[in-house]
Amino acid sequence: MLTDADRVPLAARAWIADGVRGALVAADGTIDWYCPDGFGGPPALFHLLDPAGAAVRVGPVRQGTGSARRLPPGEQGYRPGTLVAETTLRTGSAVLRVDDALAWPGASGTPSGRLVRVATALGGPVDVEVEVLPGRLGGHEQRVETWSEGLVVGPLAVRAGVRFEPAPLGRDRPRWRAVCRLDAGESLTLTLDPAGARVEPLAADAARRLLDDTAAAWRSWSAPLAVAGPYAAAVARSALVVRSLTGPAGAPVAAGTTSVPRRPGGERTADDRVVRLRDAAAAARALARAGLDEDAEAAERWLREAIEAATPPWPVALAPGGGAVPDGDELPLAGWRRGQPVVVGRGGRTGPGLPDLDLSGDLELAVSASHRGPWGDGGAGPLSGAAAALAAGADWVADHWERPDAGVWALSGPPVRLVPSAVQAWVALDRAARRARAADPLDLAAATWLAESRRVVAWLEAEGVAADGGLRRAIGAGGGADDSDAALLRVAWQGPWPADHPVVRATVDRVLERHASGLLLHRLPEGVDDGRPGPDSPDLLASLWAVRALARVGRWEEGHERMEAVLALAGPTGLLAEAADPVAGELLGNLPAAGVHLALLDAAADLAAGPR
């Protein structure tokens, strides 16, 4: 019997992907999430979001009845330097290893999007079962057709070289099952392909070659990765995860799943299978810092196309295939631990009419990262070629930085002037002015931007500093002297003051004190309205920003302690989601989260610069 997905912690999963589509393999051998049409498409396997959802499991035959048939979770990991997942399952003396991969595009001539599973008996005979739960959508089970090599369920063809037989779980949960015995060293090959594709079955030797070719391609990609320090393994894994979320266009989707709530049973759900401009900017910076120049330049090219195709204010996110993110549709699924709604697509998270002023600083920092000089005065990357679009963005910031916006957290509560957004506006104006003056010392637009950046600093010092000397969150209705925001931590490495300035140190202290949940941080202090229903959980992006801020102000031991607290949540496969429950030690929210893994790259690099 397939284990209900929400009984398996999110961290007890491996992520496999090919840059276009991705799947999750649970530690019991079940693929409970897979979107064969691409990251933003409808799921074909969705047991993750509903106990009656579609899934495919490979594992040892389980004896007994009811709950007694459940096996303990297996041991999971990856082939070193790859996204070829390995799950080792044990029952009694029998040991079965299941290797999973989405084939690297072009590997061994395999069709695009082929998901390959190879189950191998280790050290003795194993009775192996393949279970397929068709899943229910809209109150109806997906149609199943069987033939000698496997079955077709909904949009997928499942080939295993064995005949499946019906084996109901109960009156309302049909399943299909096939059983075979493997002697030591023997393998069973299973493939998942689009139902209408004309593809050939894979023999065991061909399947092994495909896995080996895919592993070799991943290792070749990661060869330029330059990592050092105590977190080198986590950095390498995060870089692989970001690459796996990055399609041919060059920028990563924000996460691989939809509608996993940020609190069990909560309403904070969203479809994060979109490409956020902020994540693309972070990729341009962090990947270049890690030595992956080609991937950093690809992210920059994507950003250039995105901003040249629009006018300021820039969109927060685009669909994975380009264009506006479609409006959301609700799916009739129970949800992860009953979290609702379950949605595909979204219309964005910003409040009505509120742009994301905060994004402007990220874009300019991405331009600076593509240059060798400290202000982008020693070279040129792809994004710097968008001079007209970047100038239009700087003009827009100069005209709008004094207005309310949605900010980095896409707030939809009462409109307020956000102090973190003003800091980012200063970054955008200051960098744009320095870049323009490097090209032409008499540039008139640069003089305007520089003057406006000085006005921003004057406003921050006059209005943004609270009585304790740290920056407050907002000014206006809904703001207040006692509010703070985890986004203010970025002032430690990209604000108008040096890291040892009293305002920076007081801001870091204020956020760490007011946002703490153990060693993790909430985005906003308890009681601050962000316009969404229900309470939120600690945020891993904010928690990694705390690591960076502590490193920048020289509090190395605290930074390492918080870094290790985040890494402890990841489990053996190294995946990180958006949020976490620090009491239960579990991940929450959509996963894997590109922005969190990118923040880990930067946090590890900052910690590597100091003592251990």
Side-chain angles (χ1 to χ4, degrees), residues 17-22 35-40 105 112 243-248 253 320:
D18 62 3
V20 177
R21 57 192 65 78
C35 298
D37 292 337
F39 289 126
S112 176
R243 175 61 180 86
S244 76
L245 292 166
T246 302
V253 293

Side-chain angles (χ1 to χ4, degrees), residues 95 126 132 152 168 180 191 209 214 247 301 318 387-388 419 493 502 536 540:
V95 181
V126 182
V132 178
V152 173
C180 68
T191 59
R209 284 196 302 272
T214 296
R301 283 193 294 272
L318 298 175
V419 174
W493 64 88
D536 201 7
L540 295 189

